[in-house]
Amino acid sequence: MFVALRDLRHARGRFALMTAVIVLVTFLVTFLASLTAGLARESTSAVTDLPADHLAFAMPGPDDAPAFTASQVTADQWRRWRGVPGVDAAEPLGVATTRAGSAAGTASVTAFGVPAGSRLLPAGSPDLTTGGVLLSPAAATELDAAPGDTVTVGGTALEVVGTTDVEASFAHTPVVWTTVADWQAVGARGTGSDDDPVATVVALTTSDDGAARGDAAVGTTTVTTAQARSAVASYAGENTSLTTMQGFLVAISALVVGAFFSVWTISRSADVAVLKALGATTRYLLRDALGQAAVVLTVGVGFGTLLTAVGGRLLPATVPVLVDTTTTVLPAAGLVLLGLAGAAVSVARITRIDPHAALAAH
Amino acid sequence: MDLHLDRITLVYPDGTSTLTAVDDVSLTVPAGTTTALLGPSGSGKSSLLAVAAGLTPPTSGRVRLGDEVALTPTTSVAEATRWRRDHLGVVFQAPRLLDSLTALEQLELHAHLRGRRPATVRRRALELLDAVGVADRAHHRPAQLSGGQRQRVAIARALVGDPAVLLVDEPTSALDHDRGVRVVELITSLARETGAATLLVSHDASTLDPVDATARLADGLLESPARPQRTEAPGGRCVSAPAG
């Protein structure tokens, strides 16, 4: 990169401008990725953090995609899942977004109904009995409630038995935990017979492919807890929109980088002709030009990623950004690779520059 | 080694017909001497230079370095590039220096193009910059040099690899007469020192007193065979005898 590095130093204004554009595009992409991940966490953390590996949905139609808003499992289905070989644990889980109130005010919450003594409760939680409610930290804060206080969940008065150590959110609302019996008033409202809805899904812990075997027999649709994120209505819409925006931004950045190096290559066509006339091979020139693009991209993407990493930590907790390797390093690597692809298409014109042009007077 | 242009013909397509730019020209330039190729615009001298540089393949004929055939009509682009890289120094009509490189780096680039560390030619580069009178401008970029200084750096760049062949295209076209003569003197003396067979294209005969031989092209034909300006070249050999 004998000439490339000296070009960078010599035309520092032009390259600084281009690097600044890449920094901003990278910041946008990585920040958007962090925001997407943060919003996804706010929509689905209560599901993905469940101590279960599969969820069985019972949808109204046989071809319906799993959705928490439409699924209703019966007591019979729950019991039949318990008997499926390879299923170590099967517990009903009710999910219903509703309104909660306390002496301090009201808040939107999602009530998770589980059997008394359920292992689905977050680790370290106090026992949950009928008439009691367990609050996630955000719910406790919004309701300004402490153990011993009385809150209403979907109109049912319950006593706060404690607060969980970890945050749990569903569809951007904090989660509160009740017994399935109390949850009936909020969600299923069945009469208690085997054919009445008892909960939203059955949470399964499996040791082999028991989940696949049970669906046909029980009449449910089973997905992993990770796949179950798509069953949260808010997640699917947000995630698709934000991921599409990221994709457009990455494609735009590749176009911007490609356009810059296209103009840059045209402007130095005469120099390339001279270099070829002096004996530079096309391979040497392509390596030089791509090396230059790699330096600009690496520096620009590096600073843009750093900006997101630092900015993410400075933002208030109310902005749901999740800065980690998958939201910074992975998109950054994608930007470098696609940017290099854009630059490669642009600098390929080097192969068509005729060294004969060096003999021209000007 | 001597440079031989053996029966070079170059025909360009010209609409539905063809244009013969160089017509069966043979010329030998002995090592260490400078032969000037004269002729009016459009006579074919730059086309012949382009053939010798491997920038344009001849329609027929061949270019030899000593006994070794270097360029033929079937020579590939990669082989022509190797010819320029390994055996050739070229001085273009305009200096054609790279804006981002200092005078010294213009010469060090030569080593980098050959996969060697630039530092390996630094001493030789400084010697040449000194020889052309711009040693004190070694760390200046082209924008900080005068036109004459740029031309001298370009000459030093062409010679830094100690090429067997030096091709020079209209080096005096932008200079007044006295400066033109000095530049030709410089090229001729450096060719003698380095032993490069030097072919210099010019349309201005008045600046060519220092060269060892001249030849004249008109309409693509060698009008007068290479005629010695001097009786003997260094080493006592007769120079620029017509070839073929």
Side-chain angles (χ1 to χ4, degrees):
Chain A
M1 295 215 297
F2 187 82
V3 179
L5 292 178
R6 283 157 183 81
D7 277 349
L8 286 173
R9 205 170 49 204
H10 182 64
R12 61 175 74 93
R14 266 173 284 185
F15 282 104
L17 194 63
M18 185 60 212
T19 306
V21 170
I22 295 172
V23 168
L24 292 176
V25 169
T26 305
F27 173 67
L28 272 175
V29 170
T30 51
F31 185 80
L32 203 57
S34 302
L35 190 63
T36 305
L39 286 170
R41 179 133 197 92
E42 273 202 349
S43 271
T44 63
S45 66
V47 175
T48 53
D49 292 350
L50 278 173
D53 49 52
H54 287 80
L55 296 180
F57 289 79
M59 299 302 296
D63 297 328
D64 293 346
F68 283 100
T69 49
S71 174
Q72 287 184 320
V73 293
T74 63
D76 180 55
Q77 285 172 316
W78 160 43
R79 292 194 190 96
R80 288 168 69 183
W81 264 114
R82 291 168 67 181
V84 172
V87 173
D88 299 333
E91 296 187 64
L93 172 66
V95 178
T97 299
T98 185
R99 196 137 193 90
S102 68
T106 60
S108 290
V109 298
T110 297
F112 270 36
V114 296
S118 169
R119 52 189 296 281
L120 294 177
L121 289 173
S125 301
D127 288 342
L128 185 63
T129 53
T130 302
V133 62
L134 185 63
L135 305 181
S136 61
T141 302
E142 287 189 33
L143 294 169
D144 193 19
D149 290 351
T150 298
V151 297
T152 57
V153 178
T156 303
L158 301 166
E159 183 186 347
V160 177
V161 297
T163 304
T164 61
D165 295 332
V166 292
E167 201 60 80
S169 297
F170 183 94
H172 300 297
T173 58
V175 166
V176 300
W177 305 80
T178 69
T179 62
V180 169
D182 288 331
W183 182 86
Q184 296 300 313
V186 179
R189 290 190 174 85
T191 58
S193 76
D194 280 356
D195 295 331
D196 275 346
V198 67
T200 308
V201 294
V202 180
L204 307 170
T205 304
T206 58
S207 54
D208 56 16
D209 61 347
R213 281 198 299 269
D215 268 341
V218 182
T220 55
T221 304
T222 303
V223 296
T224 65
T225 47
Q227 291 167 335
R229 289 184 305 178
S230 298
V232 182
S234 63
Y235 169 83
E238 279 170 8
N239 200 56
T240 304
S241 307
L242 293 171
T243 306
T244 304
M245 285 169 69
Q246 285 175 58
F248 276 122
L249 272 174
V250 170
I252 287 167
S253 73
L255 281 175
V256 168
V257 171
F260 173 80
F261 280 101
S262 187
V263 173
W264 175 245
T265 305
I266 290 168
S267 73
R268 63 188 290 264
S269 294
D271 284 355
V272 172
V274 170
L275 284 164
K276 282 188 169 183
L278 292 177
T281 60
T282 299
R283 190 175 172 182
Y284 173 93
L285 293 168
L286 286 175
R287 203 171 52 214
D288 203 54
L290 279 177
Q292 193 175 57
V295 169
V296 173
L297 277 164
T298 307
V299 171
V301 169
F303 273 109
T305 307
L306 191 67
L307 205 59
T308 296
V310 173
R313 277 164 179 74
L314 296 178
L315 286 169
T318 48
V319 182
V321 291
L322 183 65
V323 179
D324 61 16
T325 307
T326 55
T327 61
T328 53
V329 177
L330 281 182
L335 280 168
V336 171
L337 289 176
L338 273 176
L340 276 177
V345 170
S346 302
V347 303
R349 70 172 60 240
I350 282 173
T351 60
R352 300 192 295 274
I353 293 174
D354 184 357
H356 204 156
L359 288 181
H362 299 290
Chain B
M1 280 185 282
D2 298 349
L3 171 68
H4 302 275
L5 307 181
D6 297 339
R7 306 197 65 176
I8 300 292
T9 295
L10 181 62
V11 179
Y12 289 120
D14 184 20
T16 54
S17 63
T18 57
L19 174 70
T20 303
V22 180
D23 192 356
D24 199 24
V25 170
S26 294
L27 190 67
T28 292
V29 183
T33 71
T34 301
T35 295
L37 192 60
L38 280 160
S41 294
S43 60
K45 54 190 191 303
S46 288
S47 295
L48 189 61
L49 193 84
V51 170
L55 297 172
T56 304
T59 307
S60 64
R62 61 186 187 174
V63 176
R64 282 188 293 124
L65 185 60
D67 294 330
E68 190 181 337
V69 176
L71 301 167
T72 69
T74 58
T75 299
S76 69
V77 171
E79 286 167 337
T81 301
R82 269 199 297 279
W83 159 248
R84 289 196 294 275
R85 191 187 64 193
D86 297 338
H87 301 292
L88 219 59
V90 185
V91 180
F92 307 107
Q93 189 171 349
R96 297 291 196 195
L97 302 180
L98 303 182
D99 290 342
S100 61
L101 272 55
T102 64
L104 178 61
E105 288 167 346
Q106 309 278 350
L107 275 64
E108 289 179 338
L109 171 64
H110 182 279
H112 201 260
L113 291 179
R114 284 146 189 81
R116 288 158 54 197
R117 289 170 60 81
T120 59
V121 295
R122 188 159 296 154
R123 187 199 286 183
R124 176 66 179 145
L126 289 169
E127 280 173 7
L128 278 166
L129 289 176
D130 189 38
V132 299
V134 290
D136 59 330
R137 315 295 284 172
H139 299 291
H140 289 72
R141 292 203 176 91
Q144 300 165 305
L145 303 175
S146 69
Q149 287 171 333
R150 280 182 226 161
Q151 184 73 307
R152 288 162 180 272
V153 172
I155 293 168
R157 177 178 66 181
L159 289 166
V160 71
D162 292 324
V165 176
L166 178 63
L167 301 177
V168 187
D169 186 22
E170 301 275 10
T172 62
S173 61
L175 304 176
D176 60 39
H177 177 268
D178 290 346
R179 288 187 184 183
V181 171
R182 283 204 295 276
V183 165
V184 174
E185 275 175 352
L186 178 65
I187 290 168
T188 307
S189 66
L190 286 171
R192 284 198 195 104
E193 282 173 29
T194 60
T198 302
L199 183 62
L200 184 153
V201 164
S202 178
H203 66 278
D204 181 9
S206 69
T207 58
L208 299 179
D209 281 350
V211 303
D212 299 296
T214 58
R216 186 174 290 275
L217 271 179
D219 294 330
L221 290 161
L222 196 59
E223 196 174 60
S224 65
R227 183 163 49 80
Q229 301 270 95
R230 295 151 199 247
T231 51
E232 283 187 332
R237 289 188 300 158
C238 282
V239 297
S240 296

